[in-house]
Amino acid sequence: MDNASNALAALADPTRRTIFERLAAKPSAVGELARGLPVSRPAVSQHLKVLKEAGLVADTPEGTSRVYRIDPRGIAAIRQWLDQFWTDALDSFAAFAEAESKEDDTP
Amino acid sequence: MDNASNALAALADPTRRTIFERLAAKPSAVGELARGLPVSRPAVSQHLKVLKEAGLVADTPEGTSRVYRIDPRGIAAIRQWLDQFWTDALDSFAAFAEAESKEDDTP
DNA sequence: ACTCATGGTTAGCTGAGACTTACGGTAAGT
DNA sequence: ACTTACCGTAAGTCTCAGCTAACCATGAGT
């Protein structure tokens, strides 16, 4: 799926992965996240924007604050994309193993 | 896992995703891949190096050629990393839905 | 109305990485 | 031995993404 592309690209950045993992452990506000990270608050905002557009997180206004949490849709998209190749990967390996065993004609 | 980090970063590039998908459909040599892509052959070589270090592909010398195929380990690493957050994601959404329903005190 | 706290947005800088070109290295065929 | 085909690597260029600093907007409390 094309949505999986955005999700994969979003999780490629280490800082975004850290943010994602922390939100998985506990939904938090922007400043709360930035305080525990080595980057500034605007950087966290930009990362959250990317994660949101990738369908990996969702946000809810909470007064003057804004709470972010994990969105299962992004994870589902990546899983679906991966499973598309899972059987192919096993087939490739099975074919390789079989070709290897047939090469054993050197006694 | 840390191996999942490399795999995610490797699949972030669109060209590498295309190479990965084509190898899933059919194991191929480097030149064969490059002929169907809008980039040069050395570029494909570099991409394959990244994919190999990420555990996503494996290669086998075939005479003067070199056949690349999919390695299931990379896919497994990403799947394992994702499943680590799957239940957390569902919990986050369940908690959000419950909080939403309790806010229905505005008749 | 004023103040304070929280966040999203923009401009600009900088470093990482994707690409090409050129080169060297190896195996098969003649 | 020579040629051809296939591939990996090094050096260099250039674009893009992540970061900071500064600014503006909004809601809560007084």
Side-chain angles (χ1 to χ4, degrees):
Chain A
M1 291 305 189
D2 188 63
N3 196 15
S5 304
N6 299 333
L8 283 170
L11 290 178
D13 184 70
T15 304
R16 272 196 298 260
R17 270 200 306 274
T18 303
I19 294 178
F20 184 74
E21 294 176 359
R22 298 207 179 179
L23 289 182
K26 173 178 177 301
S28 318
V30 180
E32 188 180 353
L33 280 171
R35 256 173 254 126
L37 289 173
V39 297
S40 67
R41 184 191 53 77
V44 177
S45 254
Q46 295 167 0
H47 282 310
L48 287 171
K49 183 179 181 181
V50 175
L51 290 171
K52 183 179 177 181
E53 288 174 349
L56 286 164
V57 302
D59 60 325
T60 307
E62 193 89 14
T64 169
S65 183
R66 194 168 260 272
V67 178
Y68 282 82
R69 66 184 175 282
I70 291 218
D71 188 340
R73 294 180 302 132
I75 303 180
I78 297 183
R79 276 182 59 129
Q80 189 173 351
W81 185 81
L82 279 181
D83 289 352
Q84 179 181 353
F85 306 118
W86 181 246
T87 55
D88 294 339
L90 294 182
D91 288 350
S92 286
F93 241 63
F96 167 70
E98 187 181 359
E100 278 289 283
S101 64
K102 278 188 179 176
E103 264 177 15
D104 285 348
D105 42 0
T106 53
Chain B
M1 293 303 186
D2 189 62
N3 195 16
S5 305
N6 300 332
L8 284 170
L11 290 177
D13 184 71
T15 304
R16 267 190 309 255
R17 270 199 305 274
T18 303
I19 293 177
F20 185 74
E21 295 176 358
R22 298 206 179 180
L23 288 182
K26 172 179 176 298
S28 318
V30 180
E32 188 180 353
L33 280 171
R35 254 174 255 126
L37 290 173
V39 296
S40 68
R41 184 193 52 78
V44 176
S45 254
Q46 294 167 2
H47 283 310
L48 286 171
K49 184 179 181 181
V50 176
L51 289 171
K52 183 180 176 180
E53 288 174 349
L56 286 164
V57 302
D59 60 325
T60 306
E62 193 90 14
T64 168
S65 184
R66 196 166 259 272
V67 177
Y68 282 82
R69 65 183 175 281
I70 291 219
D71 189 340
R73 293 181 301 134
I75 303 181
I78 298 182
R79 273 182 59 126
Q80 189 173 349
W81 185 81
L82 277 183
D83 289 351
Q84 180 181 353
F85 306 118
W86 181 246
T87 55
D88 293 339
L90 294 182
D91 287 350
S92 285
F93 242 62
F96 166 70
E98 187 181 1
E100 277 290 283
S101 64
K102 278 188 178 175
E103 261 176 18
D104 286 347
D105 43 2
T106 52

